[in-house]
Amino acid sequence: MIQVRNLNVDYFGNSALQQLDIDIPLGYSVGIIGPNGAGKSTFIKALLGVIPRRSGTILVNGTDISQVKKDIAYVPQKSDVDLTFPITVRDTVLTGTYPKLRLFRRPGKKEKEHVERCMEMVDIRDLAHKQISNLSGGQLQRVFIARALAQQASIFFLDEPFVGIDLVSERIIVDLLKKLRKEGKTILVVHHDLHEVEEYFDKTIILNKKLIAFGDVDTTFTSHNIQSAYGASLGNVQIKGLGGVQA
Amino acid sequence: MIEWMANMLNVPIYALNAGLSAIILGVVSGVLGSFIVLRKMSLMGDALSHAVLPGVAISYILGINLLLGASIFGLLAAVLIQFITNRSTIKSDTSIGIILSSFFALGIVLITFAHSGLDLTHILFGNILAVPKSELLQSFIIMLIVIAVVSLFYKELLISSFDPVVSKAYGLKTNFYHYLLMMLLSVVTVSSLSQVGIVLVIAMLVIPAATSYLWTNKLLHMIILASVYGAACGVAGVLISFTYNLPTSATIVLVGVTGFGISFIISPKNNFFKKGLKVH
């Protein structure tokens, strides 16, 4: 269980998240949805301590999250990474093994073989020697997913993994996430739109600065909750699995 | 040993000293400079190299080791720059500008105040032809230390430069590595004072690393090439300045930047001809 208690986050002096209390059970795939600026990315960054929290405690199975961070693989948005860095695809994936290597220890044969398998799983082995700025959006996202796999974590945080990628890449990533979920991993995904929510996730967290709703997709992902999160900004749209949303 | 080598190579001792210290400087600044360039800290490096000046003056006045005084002031400058940036809406380039110039000014005042044998021109521009043997040895030891530290912390330095967000997410103390590099930078600046002086240290840190960056797709290759190129520029610069009686440090820098210019145009990675003008 990931227990979030009394989480408040400020962003440049403005309140980005207010008074969040959620108990996320482990072993599910969870979609975090909400309108732009709702604090979805802020939420996972605050959990990981990448941005400071004004208040709040985060426990993973009763242990403070700072003690178990090596067991959480984080896939940030592409814009957070320096793509011009002199690093190849293979070496990027290899950095995924760093969190669990001790200080002064370099990745050895075992880690390198594992990296090959991770690249295989998202079908990027033929790109292994390329510098990462020479990849398409979808290929790059698969590299970051492979890096997360290389970490051998039990919890995965992904920030908008499906933005700006091709259909083949999306399919590969979705299938992989489902496979991880079957292996009992916990997957938190910031999701940028309201499509495919039912297909991709077991549970949803609906956010707009505050927690609007959290629970199983069937009971949480309702037109009422979406309406409260998005308000008038949604307008009159049809969303698969949602029925009609009337503004 | 230096005498013996000078005999073997049939060159004057001061020339051999100059050559060796140019090689050492090239290697050490290639290693460190690669991280400075990749972490977008060129300006920060410039600031730090200027900010050690008051440290040099105070060490001289108090009669303590130059490296100690300079490292303290280098780190102090790094901390202050971070402090101003974090505690206000002033952008980091401005806080760097403020700290760089004020520390430098303080250094000039202190040196003048000391009425000492410290020669400001010597500190600012270096004199590679007058590097004493003790300093040569010191530079050599510092080079070994820098290489050792970078090898030991290689994976942490790589990941915190490449992806600071993910590094933080998995619990890496990114600040520690920032200040570790700042510390090495201060020490290297001081050890290269006699060779190239405060003003041109930054050129040695940035130019070989940037040139090497244009040819490589791996960090390790970039570091090695930058070191080799830095050392080669050093030797070529010394030779050219001997032959044509030019100021050595400036010649080294100009040799380096010539290679950068050529690389900029012909490196396949930069792709100058195909790319034309970058459209933003």
Side-chain angles (χ1 to χ4, degrees), chain A residues 48 65 67-76 92-101 110-111 114-115 117-119 121 143-157 180 185, chain B residues 159 163 165-172:
Chain A
L48 289 167
I65 194 163
Q67 305 299 311
V68 295
K69 278 161 92 177
K70 289 179 177 19
D71 206 30
I72 303 173
Y74 173 47
V75 179
T92 305
V93 178
L94 190 63
T95 64
T97 65
Y98 287 7
K100 292 197 170 166
L101 285 173
K110 198 180 92 197
E111 284 79 17
H114 178 58
V115 160
R117 284 195 298 278
C118 295
M119 288 198 295
M121 286 169 82
V143 172
F144 292 145
I145 299 282
R147 173 170 72 164
L149 284 175
Q151 196 177 329
Q152 299 187 294
S154 54
I155 302 175
F156 291 77
F157 286 9
L180 291 172
K185 314 281 190 193
Chain B
I159 192 68
D163 196 341
V165 175
V166 162
S167 320
K168 254 187 167 177
Y170 82 73
L172 195 74

Side-chain angles (χ1 to χ4, degrees), chain A residues 137-184:
Chain A
Q139 291 169 333
L140 190 64
Q141 194 60 266
R142 281 187 270 156
V143 172
F144 292 145
I145 299 282
R147 173 170 72 164
L149 284 175
Q151 196 177 329
Q152 299 187 294
S154 54
I155 302 175
F156 291 77
F157 286 9
L158 296 92
D159 199 346
E160 309 217 344
F162 305 120
V163 167
I165 72 172
D166 55 285
L167 282 174
V168 177
S169 297
E170 178 157 352
R171 201 67 256 163
I172 291 174
I173 295 172
V174 167
D175 289 345
L176 184 75
L177 292 181
K178 285 185 172 160
K179 188 166 160 271
L180 291 172
R181 154 80 178 73
K182 276 204 194 98
E183 290 167 7

Side-chain angles (χ1 to χ4, degrees), chain A residues 6 124 153 171 174 245:
Chain A
N6 188 29
I124 52 168
R171 201 67 256 163
V174 167
V245 177

Side-chain angles (χ1 to χ4, degrees), chain B residues 42-211:
Chain B
S42 300
L43 201 54
M44 186 77 173
D46 197 22
L48 239 62
S49 57
H50 283 75
V52 300
L53 191 58
V56 172
I58 288 177
S59 313
Y60 189 85
I61 294 168
L62 301 179
I64 56 174
N65 188 305
L66 281 190
L67 286 178
L68 183 67
S71 312
I72 291 171
F73 274 83
L75 275 184
L76 183 66
V79 170
L80 281 176
I81 288 166
Q82 208 70 43
F83 181 77
I84 294 175
T85 313
N86 290 348
R87 290 300 179 85
S88 69
T89 45
I90 292 171
K91 302 280 181 294
S92 72
D93 61 329
T94 304
S95 50
I96 287 174
I98 292 169
I99 296 298
L100 181 159
S101 46
S102 50
F103 271 58
F104 196 54
L106 177 65
I108 293 172
V109 168
L110 284 174
I111 285 182
T112 318
F113 171 76
H115 297 296
S116 64
L118 270 183
D119 180 357
L120 191 59
T121 328
H122 186 95
I123 296 172
L124 295 187
F125 301 108
N127 183 1
I128 205 163
L129 301 183
V131 177
K133 221 160 92 182
S134 61
E135 279 189 32
L136 189 62
L137 183 66
Q138 180 184 285
S139 304
F140 183 70
I141 292 169
I142 287 171
M143 178 185 82
L144 294 182
I145 292 173
V146 169
I147 292 174
V149 170
V150 168
S151 324
L152 282 175
F153 294 106
Y154 183 75
K155 85 177 184 303
E156 286 77 15
L157 288 170
L158 185 157
I159 192 68
S160 64
S161 308
F162 169 51
D163 196 341
V165 175
V166 162
S167 320
K168 254 187 167 177
Y170 82 73
L172 195 74
K173 303 264 178 289
T174 47
N175 268 337
F176 171 78
Y177 295 98
H178 174 74
Y179 288 114
L180 180 69
L181 281 176
M182 293 296 102
M183 169 97 173
L184 291 180
L185 190 57
S186 311
V187 172
V188 165
T189 303
V190 180
S191 85
S192 53
L193 280 186
S194 355
Q195 285 103 317
V196 289
I198 281 181
V199 179
L200 292 178
V201 166
I202 191 63
M204 288 310 290
L205 287 165
V206 172
I207 294 171
T211 309

Side-chain angles (χ1 to χ4, degrees), chain B residues 199-262:
Chain B
V199 179
L200 292 178
V201 166
I202 191 63
M204 288 310 290
L205 287 165
V206 172
I207 294 171
T211 309
S212 168
Y213 171 79
L214 291 176
W215 293 98
T216 47
N217 279 332
K218 278 183 170 229
L219 177 60
L220 188 62
H221 296 175
M222 175 173 167
I223 292 173
I224 293 170
L225 182 62
S227 301
V228 171
Y229 180 62
C233 291
V235 173
V238 169
L239 289 175
I240 293 172
S241 74
F242 274 16
T243 317
Y244 298 100
N245 196 21
L246 299 167
T248 312
S249 56
T251 310
I252 295 175
V253 172
L254 290 179
V255 169
V257 83
T258 308
F260 172 78
I262 295 170

